[in-house]
Amino acid sequence: MQSPNTTDETFDEQQARSVVSPLLTNAYEAFAFTDESVIYDTLARSADGEVLDRLYRDIYASMIVSDHDRGRAIIADVTPTGVELLDADDVSFTVRASWNATGSVYHWGHSHERTYAYTAEITSSVVDDAWKMTALTVTDQERLIDEDELDLPDAELPEEFRFEGLEL
């Protein structure tokens, strides 16, 4: 495991990206499981402390559509679109990261594909000899609209997917 600051090499954005990208992907992939304890344990590989608890609660609520709809969102692809290294010390680093999450919402016998773009400041720290997200503040999010959807009334980002201002 590469430490953010070493005497022989400077921790750079490429190294930060190689840490943050799989953490984000794993956070979404955890919710492909249906057992809540498996979801939480899988998410715990990428996040720690209050970030772990908050991500579990907030993402779980956004991925499981209300019970009366019997719906569920499944994220099929997480694509990092940018990582800017903001700070690094001996055991942690902070980045401004952006990514797209593409998935489908399944309910009432049909599905809708959606892509959302997110930007967040993420601090990753070494916890139990592994990199984990230990702070996360979502600073921007938007639904990316396909040309075919421009006239649809539901093109606005649903409230359950809004995490703006979320600080952990």
Side-chain angles (χ1 to χ4, degrees):
M1 169 179 42
Q2 173 73 35
S3 176
N5 277 345
T6 62
T7 56
D8 60 331
E9 187 176 338
T10 302
F11 194 78
D12 63 20
E13 287 182 5
Q14 183 175 344
Q15 291 166 312
R17 181 184 335 270
S18 72
V19 171
V20 170
S21 293
L23 294 179
L24 288 169
T25 299
N26 187 64
Y28 285 98
E29 287 178 350
F31 291 92
F33 297 102
T34 55
D35 182 276
E36 290 184 44
S37 64
V38 174
I39 293 169
Y40 191 87
D41 292 345
T42 303
L43 187 58
R45 295 181 199 152
S46 294
D48 191 58
E50 192 170 321
V51 172
L52 170 60
D53 294 337
R54 185 69 184 261
L55 283 175
Y56 176 78
R57 283 191 314 269
D58 290 347
I59 295 177
Y60 188 82
S62 73
M63 301 285 277
I64 306 300
V65 182
S66 65
D67 284 338
H68 68 78
D69 281 344
R70 301 260 192 263
R72 181 171 180 85
I74 304 292
I75 301 300
D77 183 56
V78 178
T79 305
T81 57
V83 173
E84 175 188 357
L85 184 62
L86 302 176
D87 191 28
D89 62 29
D90 291 338
V91 293
S92 67
F93 65 91
T94 301
V95 296
R96 181 174 299 110
S98 55
W99 67 96
N100 294 342
T102 301
S104 297
V105 177
Y106 298 90
H107 66 125
W108 295 102
H110 66 281
S111 66
H112 307 275
E113 186 171 294
R114 301 285 189 258
T115 300
Y116 294 91
Y118 296 92
T119 301
E121 287 193 12
I122 301 170
T123 299
S124 297
S125 305
V126 176
V127 177
D128 298 328
D129 295 323
W131 287 110
K132 296 187 179 188
M133 293 182 283
T134 54
L136 180 134
T137 302
V138 175
T139 57
D140 190 34
Q141 61 184 357
E142 68 177 293
R143 178 162 161 222
L144 302 180
I145 301 171
D146 197 3
E147 283 184 26
D148 296 335
E149 298 179 291
L150 289 178
D151 294 327
L152 293 179
D154 68 345
E156 185 70 26
L157 181 67
E159 187 65 34
E160 66 268 17
F161 285 100
R162 294 187 183 275
F163 296 111
E164 264 182 65
L166 174 66
E167 292 188 32
L168 304 172

